[in-house]
Amino acid sequence: MPNSSSISEFLLLPLADTRQLQLLHFWLLLGIYLAALLGNGLISTAVACDRRLHTPMYFFLLNLALLDLGCISTTLPKAMANALWDTRAISYAGCAAQLFIFVFFLAADFSLLTIMSYDRYVAICKPLHYGTLLDSRACATMAAAAWGAGVLNSLLHTASTFSLPLCQGNVVNQFFCEIPQILKLSCSESNLREVVFIIFSVSLAFGCFVFIVVSYVQIFMAVLRMPSEQGRHKAFSTCLPHLAVVSLFVSTAFFAYLKPPSISSPLLDLTVALVYTVVPPTLNPLIYSMRNREIKHALMKVLQHALFQLQ
């Protein structure tokens, strides 16, 4: 029976069984990946280049776009390479690195979404204190805390997961290295520590979720008390994109990790994992730019400048 010291590589779950479907999946994933790169890249460039977007809300949006870029770049390129070259292998170190980076971006992403709900709460419920509570130093500190939370979370989980003896082979039933699938390869009696870390992380995530819900309850109560219909519409228009992104992130991730074991299957796990790793990073730029005039204007300036440079 193999152990972790004798494993030099893992075998990931293929996206398809036939060569034709593998190539089809490669081109589909390539199109999705390029769309995510373009969308998040444009959002990042627009916020960085337009001085009118140098506000706390757009500063956090810039960080979210960078995290989304990192998250989707951690899983899709390897999956596309495996589909293109008809292979399943990933090295032991590569698997550990992929798990570390993916958990980092996932944890930092949710931490940042929680901070963004606080930004909306202060902007609507405490507008007179907005400049004080969310000055440049406070924004930088909160963003650094979100990235730091991601690093700490990923360090704990990666060190704990890969310190376990692996007794069940090296076949990972997922298209990327994921904690639940790695735990299935470990000795059943030795993964208590990682289970404790998972419970701790889930508890923190639930706490962030409760914070977001409480923030939006207070936001909606404040908005409904506004005498001006135009003011209510403007307040809702700044909150709805963030609320849509949070809903998309939470619904896909929670279903992926909290679905009943009775309905679990390799095909369903693969499909759900593709949804929660691919859909949010790809759709987030569209959600934020769809009804936001400032973002649209800044994106038009970026595109016009790019076209001018090409001429």
Side-chain angles (χ1 to χ4, degrees):
M1 187 175 295
N3 56 42
S4 55
S5 62
S6 64
I7 294 177
S8 60
E9 67 178 17
F10 293 93
L11 298 179
L12 300 175
L13 190 68
L15 295 175
D17 296 327
T18 64
R19 186 61 183 151
Q20 291 79 7
L21 284 177
Q22 285 180 338
L23 293 176
L24 175 62
H25 284 135
F26 166 78
W27 289 111
L28 286 175
L29 292 180
L30 179 62
I32 293 171
Y33 184 57
L34 291 177
L37 289 181
L38 178 63
N40 287 289
L42 285 174
I43 290 286
S44 303
T45 305
V47 174
C49 296
D50 195 325
R51 290 184 178 275
R52 292 178 301 176
L53 301 184
H54 292 180
T55 64
M57 182 177 76
Y58 293 110
F59 170 74
F60 293 133
L61 179 58
L62 170 62
N63 279 266
L64 182 66
L66 294 176
L67 289 172
D68 284 341
L69 277 175
C71 190
I72 199 169
S73 298
T74 305
T75 56
L76 278 200
K78 180 59 179 176
M80 289 188 295
N82 283 357
L84 183 61
W85 302 111
D86 192 20
T87 181
R88 299 172 55 191
I90 183 172
S91 67
Y92 186 93
C95 184
Q98 188 180 60
L99 189 146
F100 174 86
I101 297 171
F102 180 72
V103 173
F104 159 68
F105 283 119
L106 207 63
D109 214 324
F110 196 43
S111 300
L112 189 67
L113 288 173
T114 306
I115 293 170
M116 293 173 77
S117 70
Y118 175 72
D119 167 70
R120 292 298 82 207
Y121 164 77
V122 175
I124 293 173
C125 299
K126 298 179 181 294
L128 298 179
H129 301 283
Y130 188 74
T132 304
L133 295 175
L134 287 167
D135 59 10
S136 58
R137 184 174 181 180
C139 291
T141 301
M142 286 188 283
W147 290 75
V151 171
L152 180 60
N153 205 27
S154 59
L155 276 174
L156 289 175
H157 284 295
T158 305
S160 176
T161 301
F162 282 91
S163 66
L164 299 173
L166 305 180
C167 311
Q168 308 297 328
N170 67 335
V171 178
V172 179
N173 288 321
Q174 191 53 272
F175 76 97
F176 66 99
C177 289
E178 189 181 35
I179 290 175
Q181 302 301 331
I182 300 294
L183 290 181
K184 290 180 181 179
L185 305 180
S186 67
C187 302
S188 58
E189 69 275 4
S190 61
N191 58 9
L192 179 60
R193 180 176 54 186
E194 177 56 24
V195 170
V196 171
F197 283 143
I198 290 176
I199 293 173
F200 176 71
S201 294
V202 170
S203 300
L204 288 179
F206 182 73
C208 291
F209 178 72
V210 170
F211 181 88
I212 293 172
V213 170
V214 171
S215 297
Y216 271 102
V217 167
Q218 296 186 64
I219 287 171
F220 289 145
M221 289 175 62
V223 170
L224 292 175
R225 288 195 299 265
M226 290 180 178
S228 168
E229 183 178 349
Q230 184 178 1
R232 290 196 298 269
H233 177 75
K234 184 177 180 181
F236 275 127
S237 67
T238 62
C239 292
L240 287 179
H242 176 258
L243 196 56
V245 169
V246 170
S247 301
L248 184 64
F249 181 92
V250 170
S251 60
T252 54
F254 273 31
F255 182 75
Y257 286 101
L258 300 179
K259 65 181 182 297
S262 58
I263 67 171
S264 181
S265 68
L267 179 59
L268 179 61
D269 291 346
L270 177 64
T271 304
V272 170
L274 277 170
V275 169
Y276 90 86
T277 57
V278 169
V279 172
T282 306
L283 291 186
N284 285 355
L286 183 62
I287 292 172
Y288 266 104
S289 61
M290 188 178 298
R291 299 183 61 186
N292 190 307
R293 293 181 180 178
E294 289 82 5
I295 287 288
K296 286 181 180 179
H297 182 73
L299 288 175
M300 287 300 298
K301 287 179 62 178
V302 169
L303 292 174
Q304 288 173 359
H305 180 73
L307 291 175
F308 178 77
Q309 294 293 327
L310 292 175
Q311 291 177 356

